[in-house]
Amino acid sequence: MYHWIPFWPDTAAVNAVVVNNLYIAELGLSGLIMVTVVAMMLTFCIRYRKAASNSRADLETKTWRFEILWTVATLGAFLILFVWGAQVYIWLYKPPPADEEVYVVGKQWMWKVEHPGGQREIDALHVPVNKVVRLVMASEDVIHSFFVPAFRIKHDVVPGTLETLWFKATKTGIFRLECTQYCGLQHATMQGEIVVMEAPDYANWLDSQGVEESLAQQGAELFRAHGCSGCHGKNSTIIHAPSLTGLYGTVVHLQDGSIRVADEAYLRDCILNPRSFTVAGYPPVMPDFSGQLGEGDLLKLIAYIKSLGGKREAGR
Ligand code: HEC
Ligand SMILES: [Cu+2]
């Protein structure tokens, strides 16, 4: 669709089309204004050059009308672009319901990818075409930035929290993945590829990885090994701890009166930073697991907690 523009990068996701349109509008409006200004400058330069005999008799002395018109018109035009841009921004940061979810860990200097089924890859990400893919991203060391030029998506991956990003690829093929945040000596080599496949090919690829345990199953093992189940398990009587069943996606009331949505970043904080807040109605005894769990383990635990569907008990 944009092939007629020279040097235009590949457009391979719905996100890219939206960004393209905004970009073309901005470029077009800026170009229009530039051409108008330069054309007027040249016209007046030639028309009223020293040797020209054009009349200079009825000189315009009160020009404020023109100035106001000119200023308001350009301001208005650019404000429209601002509102448009803000809408695109909000749209990009509010993911639609995901068909596919993938966990990404950035570290010096590679992208580690884990699929919910337990398939792992490094510096590569296989996804199905025409599906909403939601990425949950963590960093093991410094700030990295996940950038796929053909999708026009870019998001910082920040240590100490989880970031999310989404895209819907519209073309099969292989697209570049880059880190765009200078992250140390080998930063330039922190690249990978996004492999977009037809749904059946993708299903075959998942099957061919020879995986025995899903992420949630691995998480369940960690949940037992680290003693979480001792307090949070169904039959636990040792300590009064909230059940984690159906927790994901709900609104949690905290002791200090504030509320938080139980998304991935919240679950991460519960496990690594439990001293910073307490769930309302419970004793503040949740142990701090920072230093014991790496980002990979953490994502497994989160995948496990998310897999605990079902309804929460009344009263929560
Ligand atoms: C010593 C008992 C104990 C252990 C062990 C424990 N927790 Fe907790 N956990 C609690 C208590 C009590 C709360 C609620 C009070 C609070 O927020 O600190 C809680 C809160 C949570 C919450 C927030 C629940 C909500 O309703 O919002 C999550 C998630 C959680 N724990 C996960 C874990 C995981 C994962 C582990 C293992 C790595 C673990 N816990 C180990 C006692 C425990
Ligand atoms: Cu990096």
Side-chain angles (χ1 to χ4, degrees):
M1 185 177 169
Y2 303 92
H3 291 311
W4 45 273
I5 307 177
F7 309 117
W8 198 259
D10 218 340
T11 299
V14 289
N15 317 57
V17 175
V18 172
V19 174
N20 279 356
N21 292 343
L22 180 63
Y23 181 78
I24 290 172
E26 283 182 2
L27 201 65
L29 185 66
S30 308
L32 188 74
I33 290 174
M34 194 189 75
V35 167
T36 313
V37 171
V38 171
M40 280 164 76
M41 266 166 55
L42 288 178
T43 311
F44 288 119
C45 280
I46 294 166
R47 231 177 134 185
Y48 298 108
R49 69 190 185 280
K50 206 172 176 191
S53 55
N54 284 310
S55 163
R56 292 161 168 84
D58 47 349
L59 191 66
E60 200 81 49
T61 47
K62 285 190 183 136
T63 56
W64 60 272
R65 279 177 216 267
F66 294 109
E67 282 169 34
I68 287 181
L69 188 81
W70 174 250
T71 311
V72 169
T74 31
L75 181 71
F78 279 102
L79 274 181
I80 291 173
L81 283 183
F82 170 75
V83 172
W84 182 355
Q87 273 177 344
V88 169
Y89 182 87
I90 292 168
W91 180 79
L92 283 172
Y93 281 86
K94 261 179 50 184
D99 300 313
E100 205 70 37
E101 214 162 54
V102 185
Y103 299 88
V104 176
V105 180
K107 64 172 277 196
Q108 288 166 327
W109 287 278
M110 63 175 83
W111 295 105
K112 294 195 291 186
V113 171
E114 296 204 60
H115 294 261
Q119 296 83 357
R120 300 154 65 97
E121 32 186 346
I122 286 181
D123 289 341
L125 168 58
H126 287 70
V127 292
V129 72
N130 291 325
K131 296 270 188 235
V132 175
V133 178
R134 181 167 176 267
L135 305 178
V136 177
M137 309 191 295
S139 167
E140 270 183 25
D141 36 47
V142 297
I143 302 179
H144 300 279
S145 194
F146 189 96
F147 179 38
V148 185
F151 298 172
R152 316 281 190 279
I153 54 164
K154 180 166 124 171
H155 199 99
D156 279 5
V157 182
V158 183
T161 185
L162 296 177
E163 300 286 341
T164 54
L165 179 65
W166 74 274
F167 63 83
K168 185 175 175 183
T170 50
K171 262 191 203 173
T172 55
I174 296 178
F175 304 98
R176 268 186 309 141
L177 159 65
E178 292 178 10
C179 178
T180 50
Q181 179 68 50
Y182 181 68
C183 58
L185 276 186
Q186 306 292 318
H187 161 68
T189 64
M190 192 163 161
Q191 297 176 343
E193 47 191 36
I194 312 284
V195 184
V196 182
M197 312 167 98
E198 295 293 348
D201 297 339
Y202 176 66
N204 284 341
W205 179 84
L206 286 177
D207 285 344
S208 70
Q209 298 302 299
V211 173
E212 273 148 29
E213 280 190 312
S214 72
L215 266 198
Q217 283 167 335
Q218 297 173 40
E221 272 160 33
L222 291 170
F223 199 73
R224 275 188 298 274
H226 286 275
C228 317
S229 49
C231 296
H232 290 285
K234 270 195 203 69
N235 309 316
S236 162
T237 45
I238 318 167
I239 251 174
H240 185 48
S243 155
L244 305 182
T245 304
L247 169 64
Y248 179 67
T250 58
V251 171
V252 181
H253 295 262
L254 303 180
Q255 203 76 65
D256 64 6
S258 63
I259 54 170
R260 277 189 72 173
V261 172
D263 55 9
E264 288 88 357
Y266 169 78
L267 295 178
R268 184 186 194 283
D269 284 349
C270 290
I271 301 168
L272 294 195
N273 203 5
R275 291 286 81 82
S276 65
F277 60 89
T278 306
V279 180
Y282 290 93
V285 294
M286 164 85 193
D288 187 333
F289 286 90
S290 49
Q292 293 184 46
L293 293 164
E295 296 296 335
D297 286 348
L298 204 75
L299 290 174
K300 285 173 190 154
L301 277 171
I302 290 174
Y304 170 65
I305 295 172
K306 283 165 70 174
S307 75
L308 299 171
K311 286 271 167 289
R312 307 220 68 181
E313 313 91 279
R316 288 295 315 268

mmCIF file of all heavy atoms in Angstrom, residues 202-229:
data_model
loop_
_atom_site.group_PDB
_atom_site.id
_atom_site.type_symbol
_atom_site.label_atom_id
_atom_site.label_comp_id
_atom_site.label_asym_id
_atom_site.label_seq_id
_atom_site.Cartn_x
_atom_site.Cartn_y
_atom_site.Cartn_z
ATOM 1 N N TYR A 202 2.383 -22.451 12.575
ATOM 2 C CA TYR A 202 2.767 -22.060 13.929
ATOM 3 C C TYR A 202 2.472 -23.198 14.906
ATOM 4 O O TYR A 202 3.313 -23.549 15.746
ATOM 5 C CB TYR A 202 2.016 -20.798 14.323
ATOM 6 C CG TYR A 202 2.272 -20.350 15.739
ATOM 7 C CD1 TYR A 202 3.537 -19.900 16.124
ATOM 8 C CD2 TYR A 202 1.263 -20.386 16.702
ATOM 9 C CE1 TYR A 202 3.777 -19.501 17.428
ATOM 10 C CE2 TYR A 202 1.490 -19.981 18.004
ATOM 11 C CZ TYR A 202 2.752 -19.540 18.360
ATOM 12 O OH TYR A 202 2.994 -19.150 19.647
ATOM 13 N N ALA A 203 1.292 -23.810 14.749
ATOM 14 C CA ALA A 203 0.932 -24.930 15.623
ATOM 15 C C ALA A 203 1.944 -26.068 15.462
ATOM 16 O O ALA A 203 2.382 -26.670 16.451
ATOM 17 C CB ALA A 203 -0.480 -25.413 15.301
ATOM 18 N N ASN A 204 2.351 -26.328 14.211
ATOM 19 C CA ASN A 204 3.358 -27.362 13.969
ATOM 20 C C ASN A 204 4.682 -27.005 14.631
ATOM 21 O O ASN A 204 5.350 -27.848 15.209
ATOM 22 C CB ASN A 204 3.615 -27.528 12.465
ATOM 23 C CG ASN A 204 2.485 -28.285 11.810
ATOM 24 O OD1 ASN A 204 1.723 -28.961 12.494
ATOM 25 N ND2 ASN A 204 2.369 -28.139 10.505
ATOM 26 N N TRP A 205 5.041 -25.741 14.513
ATOM 27 C CA TRP A 205 6.303 -25.308 15.104
ATOM 28 C C TRP A 205 6.284 -25.527 16.616
ATOM 29 O O TRP A 205 7.228 -26.054 17.201
ATOM 30 C CB TRP A 205 6.570 -23.821 14.769
ATOM 31 C CG TRP A 205 7.838 -23.347 15.377
ATOM 32 C CD1 TRP A 205 9.090 -23.485 14.868
ATOM 33 C CD2 TRP A 205 7.988 -22.697 16.647
ATOM 34 N NE1 TRP A 205 10.013 -22.956 15.734
ATOM 35 C CE2 TRP A 205 9.361 -22.469 16.840
ATOM 36 C CE3 TRP A 205 7.087 -22.282 17.644
ATOM 37 C CZ2 TRP A 205 9.870 -21.834 17.968
ATOM 38 C CZ3 TRP A 205 7.584 -21.663 18.769
ATOM 39 C CH2 TRP A 205 8.960 -21.444 18.924
ATOM 40 N N LEU A 206 5.149 -25.138 17.252
ATOM 41 C CA LEU A 206 5.044 -25.328 18.708
ATOM 42 C C LEU A 206 5.206 -26.801 19.055
ATOM 43 O O LEU A 206 5.926 -27.163 19.980
ATOM 44 C CB LEU A 206 3.687 -24.819 19.214
ATOM 45 C CG LEU A 206 3.477 -23.303 19.281
ATOM 46 C CD1 LEU A 206 2.056 -23.008 19.743
ATOM 47 C CD2 LEU A 206 4.469 -22.629 20.218
ATOM 48 N N ASP A 207 4.532 -27.665 18.279
ATOM 49 C CA ASP A 207 4.587 -29.105 18.547
ATOM 50 C C ASP A 207 5.987 -29.671 18.365
ATOM 51 O O ASP A 207 6.405 -30.575 19.082
ATOM 52 C CB ASP A 207 3.639 -29.861 17.602
ATOM 53 C CG ASP A 207 2.192 -29.676 18.012
ATOM 54 O OD1 ASP A 207 1.977 -29.240 19.165
ATOM 55 O OD2 ASP A 207 1.308 -29.959 17.193
ATOM 56 N N SER A 208 6.706 -29.110 17.385
ATOM 57 C CA SER A 208 8.007 -29.686 17.044
ATOM 58 C C SER A 208 9.097 -29.309 18.046
ATOM 59 O O SER A 208 10.230 -29.766 17.913
ATOM 60 C CB SER A 208 8.429 -29.208 15.651
ATOM 61 O OG SER A 208 8.740 -27.832 15.713
ATOM 62 N N GLN A 209 8.773 -28.502 19.034
ATOM 63 C CA GLN A 209 9.812 -28.058 19.964
ATOM 64 C C GLN A 209 10.132 -29.095 21.050
ATOM 65 O O GLN A 209 11.053 -28.890 21.834
ATOM 66 C CB GLN A 209 9.429 -26.725 20.626
ATOM 67 C CG GLN A 209 9.268 -25.589 19.627
ATOM 68 C CD GLN A 209 10.525 -25.356 18.808
ATOM 69 O OE1 GLN A 209 11.570 -25.039 19.345
ATOM 70 N NE2 GLN A 209 10.435 -25.547 17.501
ATOM 71 N N GLY A 210 9.344 -30.149 21.090
ATOM 72 C CA GLY A 210 9.624 -31.230 22.051
ATOM 73 C C GLY A 210 9.611 -30.768 23.496
ATOM 74 O O GLY A 210 10.544 -31.015 24.255
ATOM 75 N N VAL A 211 8.555 -30.079 23.872
ATOM 76 C CA VAL A 211 8.475 -29.553 25.231
ATOM 77 C C VAL A 211 7.646 -30.493 26.088
ATOM 78 O O VAL A 211 6.640 -31.039 25.637
ATOM 79 C CB VAL A 211 7.824 -28.165 25.210
ATOM 80 C CG1 VAL A 211 7.577 -27.675 26.614
ATOM 81 C CG2 VAL A 211 8.706 -27.203 24.452
ATOM 82 N N GLU A 212 8.089 -30.713 27.330
ATOM 83 C CA GLU A 212 7.344 -31.612 28.184
ATOM 84 C C GLU A 212 6.397 -30.885 29.135
ATOM 85 O O GLU A 212 5.326 -31.362 29.441
ATOM 86 C CB GLU A 212 8.302 -32.505 28.968
ATOM 87 C CG GLU A 212 8.649 -33.747 28.162
ATOM 88 C CD GLU A 212 10.055 -34.231 28.440
ATOM 89 O OE1 GLU A 212 10.537 -34.006 29.551
ATOM 90 O OE2 GLU A 212 10.667 -34.827 27.527
ATOM 91 N N GLU A 213 6.836 -29.725 29.595
ATOM 92 C CA GLU A 213 6.025 -29.038 30.600
ATOM 93 C C GLU A 213 5.705 -27.616 30.171
ATOM 94 O O GLU A 213 6.580 -26.899 29.683
ATOM 95 C CB GLU A 213 6.799 -28.961 31.911
ATOM 96 C CG GLU A 213 6.753 -30.226 32.715
ATOM 97 C CD GLU A 213 7.329 -29.972 34.088
ATOM 98 O OE1 GLU A 213 8.418 -29.381 34.157
ATOM 99 O OE2 GLU A 213 6.689 -30.348 35.074
ATOM 100 N N SER A 214 4.481 -27.193 30.385
ATOM 101 C CA SER A 214 4.118 -25.816 30.080
ATOM 102 C C SER A 214 4.745 -24.895 31.133
ATOM 103 O O SER A 214 5.201 -25.345 32.188
ATOM 104 C CB SER A 214 2.606 -25.659 30.082
ATOM 105 O OG SER A 214 2.131 -25.721 31.403
ATOM 106 N N LEU A 215 4.729 -23.601 30.847
ATOM 107 C CA LEU A 215 5.261 -22.631 31.811
ATOM 108 C C LEU A 215 4.516 -22.722 33.139
ATOM 109 O O LEU A 215 5.131 -22.688 34.207
ATOM 110 C CB LEU A 215 5.065 -21.213 31.263
ATOM 111 C CG LEU A 215 6.178 -20.543 30.500
ATOM 112 C CD1 LEU A 215 5.933 -19.050 30.467
ATOM 113 C CD2 LEU A 215 7.521 -20.839 31.130
ATOM 114 N N ALA A 216 3.175 -22.860 33.051
ATOM 115 C CA ALA A 216 2.377 -22.907 34.278
ATOM 116 C C ALA A 216 2.732 -24.142 35.107
ATOM 117 O O ALA A 216 2.800 -24.080 36.336
ATOM 118 C CB ALA A 216 0.894 -22.885 33.937
ATOM 119 N N GLN A 217 2.994 -25.278 34.411
ATOM 120 C CA GLN A 217 3.374 -26.495 35.157
ATOM 121 C C GLN A 217 4.719 -26.297 35.851
ATOM 122 O O GLN A 217 4.907 -26.700 36.994
ATOM 123 C CB GLN A 217 3.444 -27.688 34.208
ATOM 124 C CG GLN A 217 2.071 -28.216 33.841
ATOM 125 C CD GLN A 217 2.115 -29.177 32.656
ATOM 126 O OE1 GLN A 217 3.025 -29.116 31.832
ATOM 127 N NE2 GLN A 217 1.131 -30.047 32.569
ATOM 128 N N GLN A 218 5.660 -25.658 35.135
ATOM 129 C CA GLN A 218 6.956 -25.380 35.767
ATOM 130 C C GLN A 218 6.763 -24.445 36.949
ATOM 131 O O GLN A 218 7.413 -24.564 37.986
ATOM 132 C CB GLN A 218 7.906 -24.750 34.750
ATOM 133 C CG GLN A 218 8.230 -25.670 33.579
ATOM 134 C CD GLN A 218 9.036 -24.940 32.506
ATOM 135 O OE1 GLN A 218 9.928 -24.159 32.804
ATOM 136 N NE2 GLN A 218 8.711 -25.184 31.252
ATOM 137 N N GLY A 219 5.831 -23.490 36.770
ATOM 138 C CA GLY A 219 5.532 -22.550 37.851
ATOM 139 C C GLY A 219 4.942 -23.263 39.055
ATOM 140 O O GLY A 219 5.260 -22.941 40.203
ATOM 141 N N ALA A 220 4.084 -24.251 38.802
ATOM 142 C CA ALA A 220 3.468 -25.000 39.899
ATOM 143 C C ALA A 220 4.533 -25.693 40.744
ATOM 144 O O ALA A 220 4.448 -25.753 41.974
ATOM 145 C CB ALA A 220 2.474 -26.019 39.338
ATOM 146 N N GLU A 221 5.575 -26.195 40.055
ATOM 147 C CA GLU A 221 6.663 -26.848 40.798
ATOM 148 C C GLU A 221 7.409 -25.844 41.668
ATOM 149 O O GLU A 221 7.729 -26.116 42.821
ATOM 150 C CB GLU A 221 7.645 -27.490 39.812
ATOM 151 C CG GLU A 221 7.223 -28.891 39.463
ATOM 152 C CD GLU A 221 7.853 -29.367 38.176
ATOM 153 O OE1 GLU A 221 8.996 -28.966 37.874
ATOM 154 O OE2 GLU A 221 7.180 -30.132 37.466
ATOM 155 N N LEU A 222 7.679 -24.668 41.094
ATOM 156 C CA LEU A 222 8.349 -23.628 41.879
ATOM 157 C C LEU A 222 7.485 -23.211 43.067
ATOM 158 O O LEU A 222 7.984 -22.912 44.147
ATOM 159 C CB LEU A 222 8.630 -22.403 40.999
ATOM 160 C CG LEU A 222 9.690 -22.582 39.918
ATOM 161 C CD1 LEU A 222 9.686 -21.383 38.978
ATOM 162 C CD2 LEU A 222 11.071 -22.738 40.556
ATOM 163 N N PHE A 223 6.174 -23.183 42.827
ATOM 164 C CA PHE A 223 5.225 -22.771 43.863
ATOM 165 C C PHE A 223 5.331 -23.689 45.074
ATOM 166 O O PHE A 223 5.255 -23.256 46.216
ATOM 167 C CB PHE A 223 3.809 -22.817 43.272
ATOM 168 C CG PHE A 223 2.793 -22.017 44.030
ATOM 169 C CD1 PHE A 223 2.792 -20.627 43.967
ATOM 170 C CD2 PHE A 223 1.818 -22.661 44.798
ATOM 171 C CE1 PHE A 223 1.837 -19.892 44.660
ATOM 172 C CE2 PHE A 223 0.863 -21.915 45.489
ATOM 173 C CZ PHE A 223 0.877 -20.543 45.422
ATOM 174 N N ARG A 224 5.548 -24.988 44.802
ATOM 175 C CA ARG A 224 5.741 -25.938 45.902
ATOM 176 C C ARG A 224 7.147 -25.821 46.471
ATOM 177 O O ARG A 224 7.341 -25.694 47.673
ATOM 178 C CB ARG A 224 5.509 -27.374 45.416
ATOM 179 C CG ARG A 224 4.054 -27.782 45.436
ATOM 180 C CD ARG A 224 3.889 -29.271 45.127
ATOM 181 N NE ARG A 224 4.364 -29.609 43.789
ATOM 182 C CZ ARG A 224 3.601 -29.497 42.701
ATOM 183 N NH1 ARG A 224 2.351 -29.085 42.807
ATOM 184 N NH2 ARG A 224 4.069 -29.806 41.520
ATOM 185 N N ALA A 225 8.147 -25.788 45.567
ATOM 186 C CA ALA A 225 9.545 -25.805 46.011
ATOM 187 C C ALA A 225 9.891 -24.601 46.881
ATOM 188 O O ALA A 225 10.690 -24.715 47.808
ATOM 189 C CB ALA A 225 10.466 -25.853 44.791
ATOM 190 N N HIS A 226 9.293 -23.452 46.598
ATOM 191 C CA HIS A 226 9.615 -22.258 47.380
ATOM 192 C C HIS A 226 8.673 -22.051 48.559
ATOM 193 O O HIS A 226 8.714 -21.014 49.217
ATOM 194 C CB HIS A 226 9.630 -21.018 46.476
ATOM 195 C CG HIS A 226 10.841 -20.965 45.596
ATOM 196 N ND1 HIS A 226 12.043 -20.437 46.020
ATOM 197 C CD2 HIS A 226 11.049 -21.388 44.333
ATOM 198 C CE1 HIS A 226 12.933 -20.533 45.041
ATOM 199 N NE2 HIS A 226 12.354 -21.119 44.002
ATOM 200 N N GLY A 227 7.801 -23.034 48.790
ATOM 201 C CA GLY A 227 6.953 -22.960 49.981
ATOM 202 C C GLY A 227 5.741 -22.062 49.862
ATOM 203 O O GLY A 227 5.066 -21.796 50.858
ATOM 204 N N CYS A 228 5.467 -21.563 48.673
ATOM 205 C CA CYS A 228 4.286 -20.703 48.500
ATOM 206 C C CYS A 228 3.024 -21.468 48.891
ATOM 207 O O CYS A 228 2.129 -20.940 49.542
ATOM 208 C CB CYS A 228 4.122 -20.243 47.053
ATOM 209 S SG CYS A 228 5.622 -19.729 46.230
ATOM 210 N N SER A 229 2.985 -22.757 48.463
ATOM 211 C CA SER A 229 1.774 -23.540 48.681
ATOM 212 C C SER A 229 1.514 -23.761 50.168
ATOM 213 O O SER A 229 0.376 -23.955 50.579
ATOM 214 C CB SER A 229 1.877 -24.882 47.954
ATOM 215 O OG SER A 229 3.110 -25.497 48.262
#
